[in-house]
Amino acid sequence: MTELKNTERELYLFRVRLLVIGLLAFVCFSILLGRYVWLQIVKHESYATKANENRISVVPIVPNRGLIMDRNGVILARNYSAYTLEITPSKITKDLDTLIDELSTLVDIQPKHRKRLRKLMEESKSFGSLPIRTRLSDEEVARFTAQRFRFPGVDVQARLFRQYPLGDVASHVIGYIGRINKRDAELIEDSEDAPNYKGTSYIGKEGLEKSYEKLLHGNTGFEEVEVSAGGRPVRTLSRNLPSSGKNLILSVDIELQKVIEEAFGDRRGALVAIEPETGDVLSFVSMPTFDPNLFVEGIDQQSWNELNTSEDIPLLNRPLTGAYPPGSTFKPFMALAALELGKRTTTQAIVDPGFFAFGSRVFRDDRVGGHGLVDMYRAVALSCDTYFYQLANEMGVDAIHDFMAQFGMGQITGIDLDNERKGLLPSTEWKRTAFKKAVNQRWIPGDTISLGIGQGQNTFTPLQMAHATATLVNNGIVMKPHLVKQVEDPQTKHRTLTVPKESNRIPLKQENVDFIKNAMAGVVREGTGARAFAGAAYISGGKTGTAQVVAMKKTEKHGTKHANERFRDHSWYIAFAPLDKPKIAIAIIVENGGYGSESAAPIVRKAMDYYLLGKRPTEKVAPVQPAVGNEIEDVAHVDGEEHVIPPPQPTLPANPAMPQTASKPTAEVQNKPVPEVKSATVKK
């Protein structure tokens, strides 16, 4: 039986299928069209940027770091270009040790290089390249380049390196740069300068390199580079050139710095020389020094151990952070304070019995039997302790504090180096806040007496003493001490002064200042500075000082070779020259150097001979003559046993300008026997 086809039904089903297929095709094409609109129109900018990022790499261009030069144009810090072998850890396809082993067949890679790379990998937070070898030779670059296809993630880059051509000369001034570590990176990321440090691997760590980091660094540039699918550069599309860092023109005379460092030899200490009229720091010496080149690429462990564990502490910036009792270098300022505050006149005199009795305590002078009749000139020139014991007792601690603070003692000078130490200029207010127990907060009058000779709680930095001396001889005009004299634009060569004018003026009477300067010249004419400056072609003023390190037994002698070297007194000397119009003011301390006249003053003589006369120490100088006046340094007598002090024997004044009649001595030093008492220990 024949089955008839239902044509209409089949046609209907066909039409339904066709409609479904058409609708499905429409939906699919609608989705494609919508996706096309989304990608090409709505998200066009975003995907275009991503496409460009895949095709174009934005590479930062690190600027040239600014140069550092001395006042005469001698280069102290410069840059040079060299090739570096670098590894990008995220791109390497082999085990790191295996990769380095293979690289070592082409390039000399030592165990220390491996160790440093791993340390950098631990510290680095970026996915950038890290150096494994720096300063490659041309042969090493050629060998690696020929085999580069074997080492994905490894490449040779041209980098700028910092160099300090004079090595350890003025190292505490210049400082050094070092690779940015994790802590540095965190600080940079939190700062507004973060974009300017893209691609930068090094930053100032110490000295002027650190304090002038922003100026020295410059402005980072960038270039857009088209790259292949493999990441290789094809062509440069655009470039925004970087701006080099500013150049620093220092106030330091590097030849003077060399003369002084050589004069120190292997002794420890510090010296700061300042031009009073401008505040220019002519020399800033901290001994011993170190070679800053060791730190640029990361110091090796052996060198670090030698520096960090040395008993001489070469990394310590002594002029900036070393705080010492000033000893008798404090006395000229005490004398000036007495004149300005009306506590003394220049002609008023006392009879020095060789001690000052205060209650049951006895403060001793350095000369047994005393200096006899002493006015202010002789007190400064011959360094009479008794005179200043009495003066300090009359002035009081707060008057001393307020006067000395004007000269920057115990204050931050504001020099252009970080981490300056304040030191200590004591006062009653300081003691109230420094101690928790009420019994320790009260100022004891007897403590004031030691302050008069620069002992007690007084501790100042060599920088502060040089600044104070410069201010004194500049007639009270305060110039901020500075190491950078000018900042230079490397393009235009335009220079800007860092300290263009005075900070302030201390209201001093000129006749008082002139008297103190003349009394300090007396130290050189007839006092403890006479031997060191015998035959000098200029007139200078100065003041020696001896700061006691530890209390010694009475059988030992302070400041001499008889004491243990580390227990000897510190040797101080402050000075200026010429007398009529000072061009240089100096403060020096030689640690454990003994008497200031023996250790410190001769170094100052060499410094002044060079700076004022151009005479180097190797040239023939006038023979040293014996001192005319007081040969004995003023070191406080230390004796814990009971004894009777003999009555003083007054002598005639040695200074012809001193009147033959003296004012009546105060009760503490009248010519009479004193009861048997225990001597107080006074550190000087």
Side-chain angles (χ1 to χ4, degrees):
M1 187 175 177
T2 303
E3 182 177 353
L4 298 175
K5 293 183 178 179
N6 190 338
T7 306
E8 292 182 1
R9 179 177 177 77
E10 289 182 359
L11 183 61
Y12 172 77
L13 292 174
F14 174 77
R15 289 173 178 171
V16 170
R17 293 188 188 106
L18 184 62
L19 179 61
V20 170
I21 293 172
L23 288 173
L24 181 62
F26 177 78
V27 169
C28 290
F29 278 105
S30 295
I31 292 174
L32 288 174
L33 179 63
R35 185 62 176 168
Y36 177 82
V37 171
W38 174 260
L39 294 176
Q40 295 295 325
I41 300 176
V42 178
K43 302 294 290 183
H44 173 270
E45 185 175 348
S46 174
Y47 284 104
T49 301
K50 290 184 177 181
N52 278 331
E53 287 178 352
N54 291 332
R55 183 179 67 90
I56 300 173
S57 176
V58 179
V59 181
I61 307 175
V62 180
N64 288 336
R65 194 171 180 86
L67 305 178
I68 300 178
M69 296 173 277
D70 88 328
R71 67 189 296 121
N72 299 312
V74 178
I75 300 294
L76 307 180
R78 64 187 179 191
N79 310 303
Y80 69 95
S81 180
Y83 289 107
T84 300
L85 183 65
E86 301 186 4
I87 295 177
T88 305
S90 61
K91 294 183 179 181
I92 61 176
T93 58
K94 302 178 182 178
D95 175 71
L96 182 61
D97 289 328
T98 302
L99 175 64
I100 295 175
D101 288 339
E102 294 179 2
L103 285 171
S104 62
T105 62
L106 304 174
V107 177
D108 181 26
I109 299 177
Q110 301 293 328
K112 63 180 181 181
H113 300 139
R114 296 174 183 250
K115 187 175 181 179
R116 184 181 63 183
L117 176 65
R118 292 196 176 277
K119 183 178 180 180
L120 291 174
M121 291 175 65
E122 293 174 1
E123 294 178 347
S124 177
K125 297 177 64 178
S126 67
F127 296 96
S129 60
L130 299 172
I132 185 170
R133 256 294 309 280
T134 59
R135 288 171 281 191
L136 300 177
S137 66
D138 292 340
E139 292 79 6
E140 288 175 321
V141 172
R143 285 199 299 268
F144 172 78
T145 302
Q147 299 292 321
R148 186 195 175 283
F149 66 91
R150 296 172 45 201
F151 304 102
V154 184
D155 207 347
V156 170
Q157 300 287 346
R159 302 288 187 189
L160 286 174
F161 292 90
R162 197 67 158 171
Q163 184 187 44
Y164 306 101
L166 298 185
D168 59 1
V169 177
S171 56
H172 292 90
V173 174
I174 305 166
Y176 54 85
I177 67 169
R179 180 168 283 275
I180 295 175
N181 56 32
K182 184 177 180 180
R183 182 174 177 275
D184 296 329
E186 291 173 351
L187 292 175
I188 291 173
E189 287 177 4
D190 295 337
S191 72
E192 59 183 15
D193 293 327
N196 197 37
Y197 278 84
K198 294 294 184 183
T200 300
S201 301
Y202 299 88
I203 194 172
K205 297 283 189 174
E206 291 292 340
L208 295 175
E209 290 277 27
K210 179 181 179 183
S211 58
Y212 282 86
E213 167 61 32
K214 290 184 179 180
L215 287 177
L216 287 167
H217 178 267
N219 296 317
T220 299
F222 65 89
E223 62 181 3
E224 292 183 337
V225 179
E226 186 176 5
V227 295
S228 65
R232 300 293 295 169
V234 176
R235 59 174 176 159
T236 299
L237 301 177
S238 66
R239 176 175 294 173
N240 185 356
L241 295 177
S243 300
S244 298
K246 306 292 186 184
N247 297 330
L248 303 184
I249 313 300
L250 305 192
S251 59
V252 173
D253 184 330
I254 202 63
E255 291 302 318
L256 175 63
Q257 182 88 8
K258 289 179 183 178
V259 167
I260 296 170
E261 290 185 5
E262 290 171 2
F264 261 93
D266 58 0
R267 289 173 289 188
R268 303 174 305 280
L271 182 148
V272 178
I274 298 177
E275 185 177 66
E277 190 175 0
T278 62
D280 288 357
V281 176
L282 303 172
S283 182
F284 190 92
V285 174
S286 181
M287 297 297 291
T289 60
F290 63 92
D291 186 355
N293 291 297
L294 294 172
F295 291 88
V296 175
E297 288 301 308
I299 189 169
D300 62 89
Q301 193 62 45
Q302 180 180 351
S303 298
W304 171 249
N305 289 339
E306 290 175 358
L307 291 174
N308 198 40
T309 61
S310 171
E311 191 177 13
D312 293 334
I313 323 178
L315 296 178
L316 176 65
N317 193 327
R318 287 170 165 83
L320 191 72
T321 62
Y324 310 84
S328 292
T329 59
F330 196 62
K331 292 175 180 176
F333 300 94
M334 283 291 296
L336 180 60
L339 293 175
E340 290 291 325
L341 300 177
K343 296 294 184 180
R344 286 283 193 279
T345 66
T346 58
T347 57
Q348 186 178 351
I350 68 165
V351 175
D352 172 23
F355 66 91
F356 175 66
F358 185 80
S360 62
R361 299 177 66 185
V362 173
F363 297 85
R364 300 193 168 281
D365 203 301
D366 64 285
R367 176 173 289 186
V368 178
H371 293 80
L373 202 60
V374 181
D375 66 352
M376 184 176 286
Y377 177 91
R378 294 193 72 214
V380 174
L382 303 183
S383 200
C384 175
D385 285 347
T386 304
Y387 184 96
F388 292 100
Y389 288 146
Q390 290 188 34
L391 181 57
N393 186 48
E394 293 177 30
M395 289 179 62
V397 61
D398 287 332
I400 295 173
H401 171 275
D402 294 345
F403 186 82
M404 302 305 173
Q406 300 177 95
F407 289 85
M409 296 181 188
Q411 316 298 313
I412 297 296
T413 67
I415 194 172
D416 41 356
L417 286 176
D418 293 344
N419 305 318
E420 181 183 358
R421 188 171 179 180
K422 187 176 181 180
L424 176 59
L425 180 64
S427 65
T428 54
E429 176 62 25
W430 161 78
K431 198 165 188 182
R432 279 195 297 269
T433 57
F435 297 93
K436 294 182 179 179
K437 294 183 179 180
V439 66
N440 296 327
Q441 293 176 347
R442 185 174 62 87
W443 185 268
I444 301 172
D447 291 342
T448 307
I449 298 171
S450 296
L451 299 181
I453 61 168
Q455 298 296 338
Q457 289 91 347
N458 280 332
T459 54
F460 309 137
T461 65
L463 171 61
Q464 289 171 351
M465 291 305 298
H467 176 49
T469 305
T471 301
L472 170 62
V473 302
N474 199 33
N475 304 320
I477 301 174
V478 181
M479 298 298 298
K480 179 182 175 182
H482 51 276
L483 290 160
V484 176
K485 184 177 181 67
Q486 297 172 314
V487 176
E488 181 186 68
D489 187 304
Q491 303 299 325
T492 65
K493 301 302 179 181
H494 178 264
R495 295 184 177 184
T496 305
L497 286 172
T498 58
V499 181
K501 60 182 181 179
E502 65 191 57
S503 300
N504 63 285
R505 295 193 178 204
I506 304 172
L508 302 174
K509 295 179 181 178
Q510 190 60 48
E511 61 268 25
N512 293 338
V513 175
D514 292 340
F515 177 86
I516 296 302
K517 289 196 285 188
N518 187 55
M520 293 177 71
V523 173
V524 178
R525 285 193 296 261
E526 57 193 278
T528 51
R531 175 176 294 186
F533 282 85
Y538 48 86
I539 300 175
S540 67
K543 185 69 192 79
T544 56
T546 307
Q548 187 172 308
V549 177
V550 294
M552 307 291 285
K553 298 177 182 178
K554 70 175 183 177
T555 55
E556 294 181 302
K557 296 181 180 180
H558 283 284
T560 70
K561 62 184 179 181
H562 300 288
N564 180 293
E565 194 271 338
R566 294 281 170 173
F567 292 160
R568 294 178 193 167
D569 301 326
H570 296 323
S571 174
W572 273 104
Y573 193 65
I574 60 172
F576 65 92
L579 179 63
D580 54 347
K581 190 175 181 181
K583 295 180 180 179
I584 185 171
I586 293 178
I588 179 178
I589 186 167
V590 179
E591 292 183 3
N592 310 117
Y595 298 145
S597 58
E598 294 179 354
S599 299
I603 296 176
V604 174
R605 169 69 186 274
K606 292 178 180 179
M608 287 186 169
D609 279 357
Y610 173 77
Y611 189 72
L612 298 175
L613 307 175
K615 183 184 296 183
R616 292 184 177 274
T618 53
E619 297 176 11
K620 187 176 181 180
V621 297
V624 175
Q625 302 296 330
V628 177
N630 181 22
E631 288 261 354
I632 303 176
E633 281 291 344
D634 44 316
V635 181
H637 180 76
V638 178
D639 186 356
E641 298 183 357
E642 294 187 350
H643 58 280
V644 176
I645 304 171
Q649 302 296 323
T651 57
L652 293 176
N655 178 17
M658 179 179 174
Q660 298 301 308
T661 57
S663 60
K664 183 180 178 181
T666 55
E668 291 85 347
V669 293
Q670 289 181 8
N671 187 8
K672 63 179 182 179
V674 294
E676 188 175 11
V677 295
K678 287 189 176 181
S679 173
T681 299
V682 182
K683 293 185 178 181
K684 299 205 54 168

